[in-house]
Every structure is written in C-alpha cells, then in structure tokens.
Amino acid sequence: MKVSIITISFNSASTIEATIQSVVGQDYGNVEYIIIDGGSKDDTLNVIEKYKAQIAKIISEKDDGLYDALNKGISMATGEVIGLLHSDDVFANNTVISDVVK
C-alpha cells in the first residue's frame, strides 16, 4: 500500500530538516513524500534540496495560504492513504507509517 505524506512549509528553515528526516527515516518503504512550499525567502529550499532524491514532488510557489497548499498536495498524492506532517512537526518514531498501515 502506498502512503502519501504531505508537508507544507513557508520560511521553515529552522525546523523543516527534522521534519524531512522524520519522514525519510520511516521503516515503511512505499512512501510518496510531497513538499509544498509557499515560496520561502529563507533557507528552507536549500534544506529541502539536500533531500530531493528522497522526495517525490517538490513545489515552491506562492499560494493562498495553508489550506490552498494542503489542497495542492492532496491533489498530487497518489497513495491509498494520505497523511499530513507540517514543517515544524515530526513523527514520534520511525515505525509510525508501518504501524498505521498494519
């Protein structure tokens, strides 16, 4: 089962790396990771770039706020399950997605 995880961000350079590591460090292998950035002006995109090989889709453009960004991500997602993890949040451990799938 494919699980899509969507992270939205805007000027989140100080927190997004922990969020990304939390997703890419999951023990479940079939994860589609999507990041929607609202056109950050800080180092957020540089942090995201470090992980681009592990991220399925990255969009950075002006949006109409939090819910517009979430809807963009949801419309791109192809997983049977969709999860949201904001740019200042982390999963509690590296088995969260596999536990949800079970």
Side-chain angles (χ1 to χ4, degrees):
M1 173 183 305
K2 184 190 295 183
V3 176
S4 298
I5 301 296
I6 301 164
T7 295
I8 60 169
S9 66
F10 182 70
N11 291 337
S12 301
S14 65
T15 58
I16 197 165
E17 188 159 20
T19 303
I20 293 170
Q21 289 173 346
S22 177
V23 175
V24 302
Q26 290 293 300
D27 69 350
Y28 190 73
N30 197 5
V31 175
E32 172 188 52
Y33 192 26
I34 300 169
I35 297 180
I36 308 295
D37 178 75
S40 291
K41 304 290 186 217
D42 65 356
D43 263 354
T44 300
L45 295 175
N46 292 329
V47 174
I48 294 169
E49 180 73 16
K50 292 181 354 184
Y51 297 92
K52 71 179 180 182
Q54 297 164 289
I55 302 168
K57 298 172 186 163
I58 302 167
I59 302 293
S60 181
E61 61 189 17
K62 185 171 176 10
D63 54 49
D64 291 325
L66 172 76
Y67 297 106
D68 181 45
L70 287 172
N71 285 326
K72 280 183 195 179
I74 290 168
S75 70
M76 296 175 165
T78 61
E80 288 86 0
V81 174
I82 297 174
L84 308 173
L85 188 69
H86 296 296
S87 62
D88 58 352
D89 293 332
V90 296
F91 286 124
N93 58 57
N94 70 342
T95 65
V96 168
I97 295 175
S98 61
D99 290 343
V100 168
V101 169
K102 286 179 192 168

